[in-house]
Amino acid sequence: MTAPSLLFTSESVTEGHPDKLCDQISDAILDEFIKNDPSARVACETATTKNAVFVMGEITSNAKVNIEKIVRKTIVDIGYTDESIGINGNTCDITIKLKEQSPDIAIGVNKSFEVRNQTLESDPYNLAGAGDQGMMIGFACIETPDLMPLTISLSHQITKKLSELRHAAILPYLCPDGKAQVTIEYSYGKPKHISAIVISSQHLPSVSDQLLRDDLLKYVVTPICPPELMDKNTKIFINPTGRFVTGGPLGDAGLTGRKIIVDTYGGVARHGGGAFSGKDPSKVDRSAAYAARHLAKNIVAAKIAERFEVQISYAIGMAQPTSIDFETFGTETISREKITKLISEQFDLRPAAIIDRFKLQRPLYLQTASYGHFGRSDLNLPWEDISVAASLKHLLN
């Protein structure tokens, strides 16, 4: 972001995209288990293809859940009630193959390495180990009020608007599947110009290309994209193939966890590789990524840096992270040493502490499974809270 001119692109997909459909099914199942059994261990994967859904994975819980009913409701709620537009949630084939969590994994989650080896006292936050190894990334920047990159923010707004227009029957010819992509020219790290907008929206065969283009310009592009960043050189492509009638699982197979860049920062920040959907909060792929976003957002909200990326890594079965480090991209207002001290004092990154702080053992996950897990001003997500920023400012003063 130090170049005088840099083009950067992010994409988003609608709730009816086949991969997003699978994310939502997995998270709907997770929500139902965790509602009835907060300590449930869930690692639920979903795949879909032509009028068929496959649910597989590992679940250990005392709750009794009608998984088929949840799958059908999720599909129907999205708007898939006709096989000809993607899948029929009322009649599709559903195959369920689930088993219990591996006891080898459960050992470390139930009692951490440190407690088992007496290197840490057995307090509640030291007791639970991470549900997997891995590295998680948190990011925030000053490009938007939600402290998210502008490219992914605009992409999400576009895809969300497509679904809103469809559900409200304002554009009744729209179908559930769709994508958006926004390219912005940056100058020395600041958004300068929207270079390109791409929207691909599934539609009924009766609608003309011209009507679709006119309506999406009127109802989507114009109200969402900042006019000061657009001019006659901004390229706008709407359904560039000329036709998008075959969509959803009828057009492409779907799979949980295949849109991890859409879920996070649109490629602006690095990614540890772990997906979120279908995983209970003992899996640090999910809970620690939320904690990392919370950390980064509060650092930026406290004006300690304008752009901040943090990486946290874990070993399976261990409570304490194996590493924590960050990058400020030259935008910090205090020394790295002071930032490191503030992080160690204000952010407890042990898995049990994260779960307790954000109250993650409750059904809040389905709502995050489309349009991103971060920067969601439309949702009351605990990891988006910036109250710690006040404490950080007070400590600095």
Side-chain angles (χ1 to χ4, degrees), residues 275-297:
F276 300 158
S277 290
K279 297 178 181 177
D280 75 83
S282 73
K283 312 294 190 299
V284 285
D285 280 342
R286 179 169 220 153
S287 54
Y290 293 166
R293 162 63 177 172
H294 179 254
L295 190 163
K297 188 175 183 182

Side-chain angles (χ1 to χ4, degrees), residues 71-124:
V71 172
R72 294 195 186 282
K73 182 179 187 305
T74 305
I75 297 170
V76 169
D77 286 350
I78 289 169
Y80 279 125
T81 56
D82 186 336
E83 186 178 350
S84 68
I85 64 167
I87 190 169
N88 188 335
N90 295 307
T91 62
C92 64
D93 295 329
I94 298 175
T95 302
I96 301 169
K97 295 289 184 181
L98 295 167
K99 60 182 184 296
E100 290 194 339
Q101 182 184 66
S102 162
D104 295 347
I105 295 174
I107 290 172
V109 178
N110 295 337
K111 194 172 186 180
S112 72
F113 172 89
E114 294 95 330
V115 169
R116 283 182 281 118
N117 288 273
Q118 300 180 334
T119 59
L120 287 175
E121 62 184 26
S122 185
D123 74 45

Side-chain angles (χ1 to χ4, degrees), residues 274-330:
F276 300 158
S277 290
K279 297 178 181 177
D280 75 83
S282 73
K283 312 294 190 299
V284 285
D285 280 342
R286 179 169 220 153
S287 54
Y290 293 166
R293 162 63 177 172
H294 179 254
L295 190 163
K297 188 175 183 182
N298 276 273
I299 291 287
V300 172
K303 301 188 186 309
I304 292 170
E306 293 186 353
R307 194 176 191 87
F308 193 89
E309 182 184 86
V310 62
Q311 184 195 74
I312 310 165
S313 66
Y314 293 84
I316 188 168
M318 295 187 68
Q320 294 284 0
T322 55
S323 71
I324 305 168
D325 211 342
F326 59 87
E327 174 60 69
T328 61
F329 308 95

